[in-house]
């Protein structure tokens, strides 16, 4: 057996070994409410001398001096310090029993049954007494009443100890006389339709009357053999039909629809290429059914005059749909074909077809309607082959066509049935969560996801530092530009906007924050592009969580910081970024303004200013690879005429040599769109974005992580239930629906939200409500620099996402001048010192811990900023605290010798606890940690805050790794 694993990777060897033992990685079942582990075979895997996996349980061997060896069941976590790195790597390849599930499945019982005799033969067991309660078994302890002790029973158990939860005890359940084997017999292999069935399929489609014979199933099974080719042919036909109709059919009436019953939507509805591909694939089954219909038993009731030539070409498809839908045509066949499609006869894995789900049948009907609409319009453009086809488009404007009217009414009822079915999928779970599709989605879920992607952003930034110098931190860049009153002009007219967000910032400030490339390092342009693209995905997720009503992915792709339709702005009050976009799915052109929290704003700003500059340097000024298909929509398109409508172009003719210049085009895209991916040479692809859903939050089991659509609906539900605004009324409730991307009427009809239909006519009032909801959402989640709301808290916190910043008036050059004054004309920063000194001098960070070996120059890291501050016109008083009294005089001597006027903190209070403004005449005061915590110093800070503001700053810079604090502004 060993020879079979030679030459394989470690992961493959683990997988094949598991396969040899009839168990694959990730195949172990998780406990449920009915039972703990459903398996019939015993499996044991060796991980190391101290760790093994027994029937999905991690067993750890514990050896202590003077004590016996114990083998205990432990919970596995990827970052657990109980296991070595190699052990954690191996354990990650197995789907392990989630021990936390025992508290969910058995909330009132200390005793948990398991059927694994192997586990009990391996682990150290003990005997304990338990008594029964209505909720389960409880362990007997010193506080147990005698009445329970008398009826207790002894069990041999394996204790499972949790860090923050009560201990659970596993006991072996004897299955010799158990009826548990019957639990395996749960299969229902045939849908049952009965007279009391009130479902859509029975009441509206009468599917009980559709009966397939063995011959029918045999004929329909032939679709699988030709499915790929058939779908490809239909896509080619439909692409040609669609492109010709879009270019030649010029009527654009507004037709009422289910989603827009009022003004309606333009007809015919334009489709994206992925949608055309999807409709072609799903619609091919319907057209195959029409082709083979004469061979089915259902055809016995139809004469030859009902039949039509099989739809095997463009003209044949257009003629077939037109013939079936024209007024006065025999419509029985159309009804029957649609009803047969209620069954998923394409699935050959079952003996008899099951009914489609409501959602899958809705998508199938969508494809049939689209194919029918464009086919009839194509026939209309080539009128003459069929009597009446010269007015065929009237089918869609009037109710003269009985089959089309029936199809629309049926579709409306189908959509209502689907919405009624799904509205029970989301349930409130107090105090701060919802259950969606049985998965818990909570405030902590979002917080951890946000923290994970923020940490990943910083990791990518750290990797970029191998190619670039002077890469400042996010906060340092924000404080030097976005938060500076002199570096950025935020007084911008949003009707007549500047061409680029960067034009708001003066050139000097931009030059001070962009990094330099390392001259002796060869830049890997692909690696830099990959890292920057990954940082972009991190920012997209931060925006997604911060934007209150969550965006769909296409909404974030159209974010632009420059050029036409620029939709990124700076709020002049909070210095947060505002995003103004339109909800792209219903295309109603209803702009929404969403304000991001301060942390997200700083990271987005950094990504645009710094990361984009590094990307542009890496790809070079002659970069010309950006695709015209920015949204990755045209892969595999059949017709060139179809492609043209989806390729990016300039306003105007779009075909001049200057317009088609790839270098100029690529430069314009990189300089305008926020989320550009130079590895795929397009905007960010959804696959890269959605991949994070499988990774984060890291502490959540992969099976309980939410997909994108469920997460979006979960966030909307969280906003409705937990985010409250003081004095919330109709306008605020309606604003929540607007932020979610639909109307107030939709919130009432679809989600049962109790408010009046429509929004206030006052746009400023709507903006005010949206701003309040945004701020309340940020506070509830704890985004920004404010403190998070307490559990169960839902009220808004005023100015919760605002941070008071120290606004430096100096620049990086001040540090160099200070260095020359202190250390002479040959002064140079040591490796790593420059970034930290800039962070201290220009950043508004509340905490800057510094840890380094002796001789690194830690003193210089706060001595240089102090000297730079003293050289500026801005009056600043600074405080430095050291741990021991013996260091105070030494520190004062250092400052005095460098030209700074220095005094002692204790001398300030020689005349009493009150310190007048005139007494603060030194540049810096030195004291001990005891002085820092004294009542006199606390009173000084509290009583002289106005003095500090008048002086534009009051600094406390403790020595030896103590956080820097500028008290007046933090």
């Amino acid at each position: 057996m060993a020879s079979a694993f030679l030459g394989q990777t470690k992961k493959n060897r683990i997988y094949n070994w598991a396969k040899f033992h009839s168990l694959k990685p990730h195949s172990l079942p998780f406990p449920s409410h009915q039972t703990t582990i459903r398996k019939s075979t015993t499996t044991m895997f060796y991980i190391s001398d101290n760790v093994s996996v027994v029937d999905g349980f991690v067993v750890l061997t514990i050896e202590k001096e003077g004590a016996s060896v114990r083998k205990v069941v432990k919970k596995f976590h990827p970052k657990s310090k109980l296991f070595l790195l190699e052990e954690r790597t191996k354990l990650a390849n197995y789907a392990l029993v989630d021990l936390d599930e025992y508290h969910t499945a058995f909330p009132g019982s200390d005793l948990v049954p398991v059927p694994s005799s192997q586990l009990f033969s391996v682990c150290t067991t003990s005997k304990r007494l338990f008594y029964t309660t209505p909720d389960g078994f409880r362990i007997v302890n010193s506080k147990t009443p005698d009445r329970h002790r008398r009826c207790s029973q002894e069990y041999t158990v394996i204790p499972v100890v949790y860090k923050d939860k009560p201990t659970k005890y596993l006991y072996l359940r004897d299955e010799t006389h158990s009826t548990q084997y019957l639990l395996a017999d749960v299969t229902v292999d045939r849908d049952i339709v009965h007279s009391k069935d009130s479902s859509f399929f029975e009441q509206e489609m009468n599917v009980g009357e559709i009966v397939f014979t063995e011959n029918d199933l045999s004929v329909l099974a032939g679709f699988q053999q030709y499915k790929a080719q058939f779908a490809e042919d239909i896509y080619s036909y439909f692409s040609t039909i669609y492109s010709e109709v879009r270019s030649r059919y010029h009527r654009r009436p507004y037709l009422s629809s289910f989603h827009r019953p009022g003004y309606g939507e333009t007809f015919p509805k334009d489709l994206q290429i992925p949608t055309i591909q999807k409709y072609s694939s799903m619609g091919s089954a319907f057209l195959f059914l029409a082709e083979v219909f004469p061979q089915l038993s259902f055809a016995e009731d139809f004469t030859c005059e009902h039949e039509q030539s099989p739809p095997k070409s463009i003209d044949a498809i257009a003629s077939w749909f037109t013939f079936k839908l024209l007024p006065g045509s025999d419509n029985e066949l159309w009804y029957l074909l649609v009803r047969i499609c209620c069954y998923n006869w394409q699935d050959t894995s079952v003996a008899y077809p099951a009914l489609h789900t409501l959602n899958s049948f809705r998508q199938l009907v969508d494809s049939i309607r689209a194919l029918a609409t464009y086919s009839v319009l194509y026939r209309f453009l080539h009128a003459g082959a069929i009597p009446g086809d010269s007015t065929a488009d009237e089918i869609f404007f009037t109710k003269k066509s009985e089959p089309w009217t029936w199809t629309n009414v049926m579709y409306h009822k189908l959509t209502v049935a689907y919405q009624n079915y799904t509205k029970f999928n989301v349930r409130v779970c107090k105090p701060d969560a919802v259950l969606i599709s049985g998965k818990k989605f909570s405030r902590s879920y979002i917080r951890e996801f946000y923290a994970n992607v923020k940490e990943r952003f910083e990791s990518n930034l750290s990797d970029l530092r191998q190619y670039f110098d002077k890469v400042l931190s996010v906060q340092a860049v924000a404080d030097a530009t976005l938060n500076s009153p002199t570096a950025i002009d935020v007084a911008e007219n949003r009707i007549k906007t500047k061409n680029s967000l960067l034009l708001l910032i003066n050139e000097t400030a931009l030059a001070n924050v962009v990094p330099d490339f390392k001259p002796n390092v060869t830049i890997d342009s692909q690696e830099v592009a990959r890292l920057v693209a990954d940082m972009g995905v991190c920012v997209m997720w931060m925006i997604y969580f911060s934007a209150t009503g969550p965006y769909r992915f296409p909404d974030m792709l159209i974010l632009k910081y420059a050029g036409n339709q620029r939709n990124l702005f700076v709020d002049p009050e909070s210095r947060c970024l505002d995003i103004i976009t339109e909800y792209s799915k219903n295309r109603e052109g209803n702009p929404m303004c969403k304000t991001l929290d301060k942390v997200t704003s700083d990271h987005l700003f950094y990504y645009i200013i710094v990361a984009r500059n590094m990307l542009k340097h890496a790809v070079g000024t002659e970069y010309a690879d950006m695709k015209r298909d920015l949204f990755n929509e045209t892969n595999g398109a059949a017709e060139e005429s179809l492609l043209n409508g989806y390729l990016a172009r300039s306003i105007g003719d779009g075909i001049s040599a200057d317009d088609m210049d790839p270098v100029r085009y690529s430069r314009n895209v990189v300089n305008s769109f926020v989320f550009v991916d130079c590895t795929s040479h397009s905007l960010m692809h959804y696959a890269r974005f959605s991949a994070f859903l499988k990774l984060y939050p890291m502490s959540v089991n992969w099976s309980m992580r939410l997909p994108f659509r469920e997460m979006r609906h979960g966030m909307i539900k969280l906003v409705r239930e937990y985010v409250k605004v003081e004095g919330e009324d109709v306008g605020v409730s309606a604003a929540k629906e607007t932020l979610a991307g639909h109307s107030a009427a939709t919130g009432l009809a679809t989600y049962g939200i109790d408010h009046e239909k429509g929004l206030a006519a006052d746009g400023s009032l709507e903006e005010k409500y949206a701003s309040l909801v945004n701020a309340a959402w940020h506070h509830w989640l704890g985004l920004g620099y404010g403190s998070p709301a307490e559990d169960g808290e839902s009220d808004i916190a005023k100015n919760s996402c605002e941070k008071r910043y120290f606004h430096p008036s100096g620049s990086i050059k001040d540090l160099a001048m200070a260095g020359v004054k202190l250390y002479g004309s040959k002064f140079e920063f040591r490796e790593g010192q420059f970034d930290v000194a800039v962070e201290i001098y220009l950043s508004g960070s509340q905490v800057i811990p510094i840890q380094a070996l002796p001789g690194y120059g830690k003193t210089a890291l706060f001595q240089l900023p102090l000297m730079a501050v003293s050289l500026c016109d801005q009056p600043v008083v600074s405080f430095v605290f050291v741990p021991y009294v013996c260091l105070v005089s030494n520190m004062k001597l250092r400052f005095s010798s460098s030209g700074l006027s220095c005094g002692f903190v204790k001398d300030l209070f020689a005349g009493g606890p009150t310190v007048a403004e005139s007494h603060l005449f030194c540049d810096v005061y030195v004291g001990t940690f005891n002085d820092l915590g004294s009542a006199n110093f606390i009173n000084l800070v509290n009583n002289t805050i106005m003095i500090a503001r008048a002086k534009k700053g009051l600094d406390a810079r403790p020595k030896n790794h103590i956080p820097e604090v500028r008290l007046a502004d933090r």
Side-chain angles (χ1 to χ4, degrees):
M1 182 180 72
S3 62
F5 302 132
L6 293 178
Q8 299 179 358
T9 65
K10 182 181 292 186
K11 186 174 182 179
N12 287 336
R13 289 198 298 272
I14 294 173
Y15 175 82
N16 288 326
W17 185 39
K19 184 178 179 181
F20 181 83
H21 288 279
S22 303
L23 181 68
K24 297 180 180 179
H26 300 297
S27 64
L28 286 171
F30 287 90
S32 67
H33 288 272
Q34 287 75 30
T35 184
T36 52
I37 308 177
R38 295 189 295 272
K39 56 154 59 80
S40 58
T41 58
T42 297
T43 56
M44 180 172 176
F45 296 97
Y46 171 83
I47 303 298
S48 68
D49 291 341
N50 294 323
V51 181
S52 59
V53 176
V54 180
D55 287 346
F57 292 90
V58 177
V59 178
L60 177 65
T61 301
I62 299 177
E63 298 184 24
K64 291 185 179 180
E65 293 185 6
S68 59
V69 177
R70 295 188 301 124
K71 293 188 176 182
V72 298
V73 172
K74 284 292 182 181
K75 177 184 176 182
F76 170 70
H77 187 276
K79 295 184 178 181
S80 175
K81 296 182 180 180
L82 290 173
F83 307 97
L84 301 176
L85 177 60
E86 183 178 358
E87 294 170 344
R88 294 198 298 266
T89 303
K90 289 183 178 180
L91 288 171
N93 287 281
Y94 296 91
L96 305 171
V97 172
D98 187 356
L99 298 179
D100 287 334
E101 283 294 317
Y102 290 144
H103 280 275
T104 303
F106 304 94
S109 178
D110 295 332
L111 204 56
V112 177
V114 294
S116 174
S117 57
Q118 180 71 15
L119 181 67
F120 277 78
S121 66
V122 171
C123 291
T124 303
T125 61
S126 60
K127 295 184 181 294
R128 302 295 299 269
L129 294 174
F130 295 84
Y131 63 93
T132 59
T133 69
D135 297 324
F137 291 84
R138 289 295 187 184
I139 191 169
V140 174
N141 54 35
S142 58
K143 298 181 179 181
T144 303
D146 289 340
R147 67 178 184 275
H148 291 316
R149 289 177 180 273
R150 287 193 293 268
C151 59
S152 62
Q153 185 177 355
E154 186 179 76
Y155 287 85
T156 301
V157 295
I158 301 174
V160 178
V161 180
Y162 298 85
K163 183 177 181 180
D164 53 355
K165 299 176 182 178
T167 300
K168 292 290 185 181
Y169 297 87
L170 309 182
Y171 79 97
L172 179 62
R173 178 171 180 174
D174 185 5
E175 296 182 336
T176 306
H177 305 290
S178 173
T179 60
Q180 190 175 357
Y181 70 95
L182 295 174
L183 293 175
D185 184 20
V186 296
T187 304
V188 179
D189 58 1
R190 185 74 63 88
D191 289 345
I192 300 175
V193 180
H194 51 80
S195 60
K196 303 300 181 182
D197 191 341
S198 60
S199 68
F200 165 82
F201 289 114
E202 176 57 26
Q203 295 301 317
E204 306 298 338
M205 306 303 289
N206 306 123
V207 292
E209 301 167 2
I210 306 296
V211 180
F212 295 94
T213 66
E214 290 187 6
N215 177 69
D216 294 338
L217 298 178
S218 177
V219 172
L220 294 174
F223 177 68
Q224 295 298 326
Q225 182 178 356
Y226 307 103
K227 181 178 180 179
Q229 184 61 45
F230 205 85
E232 184 178 343
D233 291 342
I234 298 301
Y235 174 58
S236 177
Y237 301 153
F238 188 30
S239 299
T240 303
I241 291 172
Y242 177 83
S243 59
E244 182 163 347
V245 170
R246 296 302 302 180
S247 61
R248 292 184 54 197
Y249 185 77
H250 301 302
R251 292 184 68 176
R252 291 293 186 270
Y254 288 95
L255 299 184
S256 178
S257 67
F258 178 80
H259 295 288
R260 292 201 219 167
Y263 293 106
E265 57 186 0
T266 55
F267 174 87
K269 185 177 180 179
D270 64 314
L271 306 175
Q272 304 297 312
I273 288 184
T275 306
I276 296 175
Q277 293 172 328
K278 174 184 174 181
Y279 285 173
S280 300
S281 178
M282 299 189 70
S284 62
F286 179 77
L287 292 174
F288 175 82
L289 177 63
E291 180 178 330
V292 302
F293 182 79
Q295 304 175 42
L296 304 179
S297 62
F298 307 104
E300 295 176 358
D301 297 330
F302 293 86
T303 60
C304 59
E305 63 184 29
H306 290 90
E307 298 177 10
Q308 182 72 18
S309 58
K312 290 185 177 181
S313 65
I314 293 175
D315 289 335
I317 289 177
S319 298
W320 188 88
F321 276 108
T322 305
F323 183 82
K324 294 293 179 291
L325 297 176
L326 276 176
S329 62
D330 197 324
N331 48 45
E332 294 180 5
L333 180 59
W334 176 265
Y335 300 152
L336 182 57
L337 290 175
V338 175
R339 290 171 60 209
I340 292 175
C341 285
C342 291
Y343 286 94
N344 185 16
W345 49 263
Q346 302 174 57
D347 185 5
T348 58
S349 63
V350 294
Y352 194 87
L355 290 170
H356 276 291
T357 63
L358 288 170
N359 188 43
S360 61
F361 184 63
R362 181 179 62 87
Q363 295 180 33
L364 176 59
V365 176
D366 276 331
S367 65
I368 295 172
R369 295 173 75 221
L371 285 168
T373 300
Y374 277 94
S375 296
V376 171
L377 294 179
Y378 181 88
R379 184 71 267 160
F380 169 79
L381 296 174
H382 298 80
I386 301 175
D389 62 2
S390 59
T391 59
D393 61 344
E394 294 295 328
I395 291 173
F396 310 108
F397 310 146
T398 66
K399 294 185 178 181
K400 295 180 180 179
S401 172
E402 186 178 339
W404 190 250
T405 301
W406 175 85
T407 302
N408 285 337
V409 173
M410 179 271 296
Y411 181 77
H412 180 91
K413 292 186 175 184
L414 169 61
T415 306
V416 171
Y418 174 67
Q419 289 183 344
N420 289 337
Y421 177 76
T422 56
K423 69 183 180 182
F424 299 106
N425 194 40
V426 183
R427 186 166 59 88
V428 176
C429 184
K430 296 289 184 178
D432 63 352
V434 295
L435 289 177
I436 179 166
S437 299
K439 301 175 182 178
K440 190 174 183 180
F441 182 59
S442 64
R443 173 167 50 183
S444 60
Y445 188 107
I446 298 176
R447 286 176 181 170
E448 184 180 351
F449 200 126
Y450 187 96
N452 291 156
V453 297
K454 183 172 175 285
E455 182 180 355
R456 182 165 176 157
F457 182 98
E458 298 295 339
S459 176
N460 287 324
L461 182 59
S462 178
D463 291 340
L464 285 170
R465 287 191 169 96
Q466 64 182 304
Y467 303 109
F468 297 92
D469 266 331
K470 299 181 180 179
V471 182
L472 304 182
S473 68
V474 172
Q475 284 193 336
V477 171
D479 291 337
T481 53
L482 185 60
N483 304 320
S484 172
T486 58
I488 186 171
D489 179 15
V490 295
E492 181 184 15
N493 187 332
R494 296 192 180 184
I495 298 177
K496 299 179 180 179
T497 62
K498 293 186 177 182
N499 185 261
S500 175
L501 184 69
L502 275 61
L503 295 177
L504 302 176
I505 310 169
N506 65 57
E507 295 182 2
T508 302
L510 282 176
N512 286 336
V513 298
V514 295
D516 297 334
F517 64 89
K518 293 184 177 180
N520 298 323
V521 176
T522 301
I523 291 183
D524 185 345
S525 59
Q526 286 297 317
E527 178 63 8
V528 172
R530 185 193 68 79
L531 290 171
V532 173
D534 200 72
M535 292 170 70
V537 178
C538 294
V539 174
M540 291 182 82
W541 276 110
M542 294 174 75
I543 292 174
Y544 181 79
F545 291 124
S546 178
T548 310
Y551 284 113
R552 282 184 167 85
F553 179 72
D555 297 302
M556 290 186 287
L557 277 190
I558 61 176
L559 291 180
K560 296 181 71 176
Y561 67 94
N564 65 308
Q565 297 180 344
R566 177 189 143 208
N567 45 25
L568 224 57
F569 303 93
V570 179
D571 178 69
E573 294 296 326
S574 65
R575 300 300 175 100
C576 296
L577 293 184
D578 286 344
I579 297 176
I580 301 178
T581 60
E582 296 179 358
Y583 186 58
S584 65
K585 185 176 182 179
N586 57 25
R587 302 184 183 183
E588 291 183 345
N590 181 26
M592 294 178 290
C593 179
K594 300 184 178 183
T595 302
L596 305 179
D597 68 275
K598 197 66 183 76
V599 173
T600 303
S601 297
D602 289 351
H603 280 77
L604 174 57
F605 195 79
Y606 188 92
Y607 177 72
I608 294 171
I609 300 295
V610 178
R612 182 59 51 87
N613 206 61
M614 290 189 279
L615 174 67
K616 290 162 67 175
H617 175 77
V619 299
T621 57
E622 298 300 315
Y623 174 70
D625 296 332
M626 190 59 61
K627 296 188 297 188
R628 297 274 167 170
D629 177 18
L630 284 176
F631 299 94
N632 300 289
E633 295 176 306
T634 60
N635 293 334
E639 295 293 328
E640 187 66 27
S641 58
L642 184 63
L643 288 173
N644 291 335
Y646 297 94
L647 299 181
R649 57 201 180 278
S650 296
I651 296 177
D653 56 13
I655 59 174
S656 64
D658 181 59
D659 176 66
M660 300 301 289
D661 174 43
V663 174
R664 183 175 182 180
Y665 167 75
S666 299
R667 183 173 66 251
N668 284 332
V669 172
V670 173
N671 287 343
S672 58
F673 284 92
V674 176
F675 298 113
V676 173
D677 184 1
C678 285
T679 60
S680 63
H681 311 296
S682 63
L683 298 186
M684 207 69 70
H685 199 279
Y686 179 71
R688 183 188 285 270
F689 175 77
S690 61
F692 280 35
L693 291 166
K694 300 179 180 179
L695 302 175
Y696 307 120
M698 294 181 67
S699 69
V700 176
N701 186 277
W702 64 269
S703 63
M704 298 304 290
R705 292 173 183 152
L706 292 171
F708 188 64
R709 186 174 183 274
E710 291 181 349
M711 181 183 289
R712 180 180 184 277
H713 285 283
M715 286 182 64
I716 294 173
K717 188 70 172 178
L718 288 177
V719 172
R720 291 197 189 109
E721 295 296 329
Y722 300 113
V723 178
K724 304 299 181 183
V725 175
E726 289 178 342
E728 181 164 336
D729 56 9
V730 171
V732 175
S733 183
K736 290 182 179 181
E737 303 310 312
T738 302
L739 288 169
H742 39 61
S743 68
T746 300
L748 175 63
T750 305
Y751 302 102
I753 308 304
D754 187 16
H755 54 65
E756 296 177 4
K757 297 181 180 180
L759 287 174
D762 185 357
S764 61
L765 188 60
E766 178 183 341
E767 182 180 350
K768 172 189 173 184
Y769 289 151
S771 176
L772 290 173
V773 175
N774 271 328
W777 170 253
H778 295 161
H779 173 62
W780 186 74
L781 277 182
L783 298 180
Y785 296 102
S787 60
E790 298 296 329
D791 290 342
E793 181 182 352
S794 60
D795 290 337
I796 182 174
K798 304 298 185 190
N799 303 319
S800 60
C801 63
E802 295 183 5
K803 176 183 176 182
R804 296 180 178 179
Y805 284 91
F806 179 87
H807 299 296
S809 58
S811 68
I812 295 176
K813 294 180 181 179
D814 297 339
L815 292 173
M817 294 174 60
V820 171
K821 183 174 177 62
L822 284 172
Y823 302 105
S825 59
K826 295 184 179 180
F827 165 76
E828 289 184 356
F829 284 99
R830 296 177 184 175
E831 183 178 357
Q833 279 188 335
F834 177 83
D835 293 342
V836 180
V838 171
E839 180 80 9
I840 294 173
Y841 183 54
L842 294 178
S843 168
S845 301
Q846 292 178 299
V847 178
I848 306 177
I850 303 169
Q851 181 175 356
L853 295 173
Y856 177 83
K858 297 185 292 296
T859 301
L861 290 178
F862 67 88
Q863 194 172 10
L864 286 170
L866 285 176
M867 176 59 70
V869 167
S870 70
L871 296 176
C872 299
D873 296 332
Q874 181 181 15
V876 175
V877 178
S878 302
F879 292 84
V880 173
F881 297 94
V882 293
Y884 307 113
V885 176
C886 60
L887 298 177
V888 174
S889 298
N890 178 269
M891 188 58 59
K892 182 177 183 296
L893 181 62
R894 287 193 187 190
F895 288 137
S896 300
S897 62
S898 63
L900 294 170
S901 59
C902 186
F904 294 115
V905 172
K906 64 179 181 179
D907 290 343
L908 289 173
F909 310 109
T914 303
V915 179
E917 179 182 355
S918 59
H919 294 168
L920 298 172
F921 52 84
C922 293
D923 295 321
V924 62
Y925 290 89
V926 182
T928 64
F929 286 1
N930 287 333
D931 295 330
L932 174 62
S934 67
N936 286 339
F937 186 78
I938 294 173
N939 290 332
L940 169 65
V941 174
N942 292 333
N943 296 334
T944 61
I945 195 70
M946 297 305 297
I947 299 176
R949 288 175 177 172
K951 285 180 169 290
K952 303 296 185 182
L954 176 60
D955 284 15
R957 302 173 186 271
K959 168 68 172 167
N960 290 0
H961 315 176
I962 305 302
E964 173 205 6
V965 184
R966 291 176 183 175
L967 299 174
D969 295 274
R970 300 185 186 177

